[in-house]
Amino acid sequence: MLPAVSPFLDLCARISVLDWSALLLFVLAVLGYRSFLGLMLRGRPDRLYLGKLQAYRNAWIAVHSGDKNSLVTVQTLRNNIMTASFLASTSIILIMGAFSLLGNLHGLLETLRAFRPGPSAEPAVELLKLLLIIVTLWYCFFNFTSHIREVNYMSLVLNIPKEKLDEIEGGDSTLLLSQVF
């Protein structure tokens, strides 16, 4: 008698080589990009847009820390919160759209069959793909809501006079604040 194969291994065996290749390419692209970005930001940040953006953020924080006329600061932080809120809400809407596709998986498979050449898709494989999309969108949602929390924190800190912040941090507080924001 043959040993029973786990459902997960059975599902993995039904995934096409093209799907495995696409998943491998996606993972390698994300890991390669993040590694390259980390190396460049540590070594030569002035050559990247993100490095220059960090320098601009440092200058903005240095100018607006403890500013008595904080209208520009408040408006800028409000715009950051609104942008992150919009993107977090969009992530939730896309997650709900993906969940609604789960409820109509048969109709989705029929639609995909019209656009995709080759053999028909396995329902379990398409379900796994939708779940991976949902996990990715969930990750985006939590990143955007985390940004909202950080901006709220920054709006409180920027109202403290710069001299007091420097005293609390034991030196120039600009770099630390820009890392938080």
Side-chain angles (χ1 to χ4, degrees):
M1 185 169 169
L2 293 172
V5 177
S6 75
F8 178 73
L9 292 177
D10 183 45
L11 176 64
C12 290
R14 289 187 282 166
I15 297 175
S16 73
V17 174
L18 186 60
D19 286 335
W20 280 116
S21 302
L23 180 62
L24 180 65
L25 181 66
F26 171 75
V27 169
L28 287 176
V30 168
L31 292 177
Y33 170 74
R34 297 297 295 183
S35 300
F36 174 76
L37 187 64
L39 288 172
M40 287 296 291
L41 284 174
R42 278 191 295 280
R44 304 212 34 204
D46 56 320
R47 294 197 57 189
L48 293 177
Y49 174 72
L50 287 176
K52 289 181 181 181
L53 188 61
Q54 186 65 31
Y56 299 150
R57 191 177 297 123
N58 289 346
W60 185 81
I61 288 171
V63 168
H64 293 290
S65 290
D67 190 11
K68 299 296 180 209
N69 186 8
S70 62
L71 183 62
V72 172
T73 307
V74 169
Q75 288 296 334
T76 303
L77 292 173
R78 182 192 66 84
N79 291 341
N80 276 323
I81 289 174
M82 296 301 291
T83 301
S85 297
F86 171 75
L87 293 172
S89 299
T90 303
S91 296
I92 289 295
I93 290 170
L94 291 173
I95 288 169
M96 291 301 113
F99 273 124
S100 73
L101 287 175
L102 290 176
N104 189 16
L105 194 57
H106 179 68
L108 175 66
L109 292 175
E110 291 298 320
T111 304
L112 289 176
R113 190 171 295 134
F115 292 106
R116 186 186 308 160
S120 63
E122 288 276 337
V125 173
E126 297 305 318
L127 178 67
L128 183 62
K129 290 178 185 178
L130 276 173
L131 290 175
L132 286 173
I133 289 171
I134 289 171
V135 167
T136 304
L137 290 170
W138 207 253
Y139 175 74
C140 292
F141 169 74
F142 281 114
N143 277 328
F144 291 131
T145 53
S146 174
H147 181 73
I148 293 169
R149 186 183 66 73
E150 291 167 0
V151 170
N152 281 328
Y153 172 73
M154 181 60 70
S155 66
L156 295 173
V157 170
L158 283 179
N159 286 316
I160 300 171
K162 175 108 172 78
E163 298 79 30
K164 184 67 174 168
L165 285 173
D166 292 344
E167 178 186 322
I168 292 170
E169 295 302 326
D172 188 22
S173 60
T174 303
L175 183 62
L176 178 72
L177 291 178
S178 66
Q179 289 173 346
V180 170
F181 185 54

